[in-house]
Amino acid sequence: KQEVTQIPAALSVPEGENLVLNCSFTDSAIYNLQWFRQDPGKGLTSLLLIQSSQREQTSGRLNASLDKSSGRSTLYIAASQPGDSATYLCAPRRGGSEKLVFGKGTKLTVNP
Amino acid sequence: KAGVTQTPRYLIKTRGQQVTLSCSPISGHRSVSWYQQTPGQGLQFLFEYFSETQRNKGNFPGRFSGRQFSNSRSEMNVSTLELGDSALYLCASSFISGKAAEAFFGQGTRLTVV
């Protein structure tokens, strides 16, 4: 059974800082991994999808890395802004299914 | 291009009643999945549909059921509601089931059981 852990659970940083969010998963037999952000009371917004064959995926100020063999993924956010404040969730997916397994997320607060 | 649409956005129901939630996926997406989000348990997978067939089911009681129509729209039903069913119910759609698919989520339906 896949279990996902995200560390830290909460993070507060001043605007402009670069930061790293961590995600670990117990079953390395994944097909891909997706990072999302969730604003309070809202749905999930997809940030990045990284395939199991990839090491990194980039979108703007965001960079996700994946080390499938060690069961780890990181999300790097460059030059953080107050608008980045949200809960960030990672979710690996096995092949043959659309089922995503989520961690509890990292709640990020970027202070102006 | 319209995103994933969930209706209604908010619902208040009484214990013992039943409820039906609706999800319209992104045009062209044939895979729809449902999740329950609570503060204590986080996001938990309910079920997944592809081409009107349930492909996977999470660890939820039989009171939770769903279906998918030929136009890929999906509904989920919860019968005999309990207080613990209060949650944000999220629907996700993806283009190709089981492949390199990116999941897109709706805004959710907030269900409150009183």
Side-chain angles (χ1 to χ4, degrees):
Chain A
K1 178 189 169 186
Q2 179 74 279
E3 292 182 1
V4 180
T5 303
Q6 291 189 245
I7 295 172
L11 182 63
S12 182
V13 300
E15 182 176 4
E17 270 206 8
N18 302 324
L19 54 102
V20 175
L21 307 182
N22 297 292
C23 169
S24 62
F25 45 95
T26 55
D27 183 356
S28 61
I30 65 168
Y31 196 80
N32 55 40
L33 183 143
Q34 202 165 346
W35 281 91
F36 298 89
R37 67 173 278 169
Q38 185 176 31
D39 295 288
K42 305 285 188 179
L44 277 63
T45 300
S46 178
L47 297 173
L48 288 164
L49 172 69
I50 183 165
Q51 304 298 334
S52 61
S53 57
Q54 296 178 301
R55 298 286 291 185
E56 287 188 2
Q57 186 69 260
T58 298
S59 176
R61 295 182 293 109
L62 305 179
N63 176 279
S65 69
L66 176 64
D67 185 341
K68 183 180 152 181
S69 60
S70 69
R72 294 179 188 274
S73 178
T74 61
L75 179 67
Y76 175 82
I77 302 176
S80 58
Q81 303 171 357
D84 295 331
S85 298
T87 296
Y88 289 80
L89 297 145
C90 71
R93 178 195 282 111
R94 289 182 68 94
S97 170
E98 295 306 299
K99 175 183 175 180
L100 294 165
V101 180
F102 287 90
K104 292 291 179 70
T106 293
K107 185 176 181 181
L108 172 65
T109 302
V110 182
N111 302 298
Chain B
K1 193 173 184 181
V4 180
T5 303
Q6 291 189 245
T7 56
R9 291 292 313 278
Y10 302 93
L11 266 178
I12 300 176
K13 290 286 187 177
T14 303
R15 269 184 304 174
Q17 286 187 313
Q18 76 160 18
V19 67
T20 299
L21 312 181
S22 179
C23 172
S24 293
I26 292 171
S27 178
H29 288 196
R30 292 196 293 162
S31 175
V32 173
S33 300
W34 288 89
Y35 295 82
Q36 180 196 65
Q37 186 175 33
T38 59
Q41 299 297 318
L43 274 154
Q44 293 187 285
F45 172 78
L46 280 158
F47 22 67
E48 171 199 345
Y49 287 90
F50 178 72
S51 293
E52 302 179 65
T53 300
Q54 186 180 91
R55 282 167 40 107
N56 282 294
K57 188 173 177 5
N59 188 25
F60 278 82
R63 300 184 297 105
F64 291 81
S65 63
R67 59 178 175 169
Q68 187 180 34
F69 301 95
S70 58
N71 62 358
S72 294
R73 190 177 71 85
S74 177
E75 288 182 348
M76 67 164 280
N77 185 75
V78 188
S79 62
T80 319
L81 283 165
E82 300 177 359
L83 295 178
D85 298 333
S86 294
L88 181 66
Y89 290 88
L90 292 163
C91 163
S93 78
S94 53
F95 178 61
I96 300 175
S97 178
K99 299 291 180 67
E102 184 173 3
F104 296 91
F105 281 77
Q107 291 298 295
T109 294
R110 170 74 64 185
L111 171 65
T112 303
V113 182
V114 297

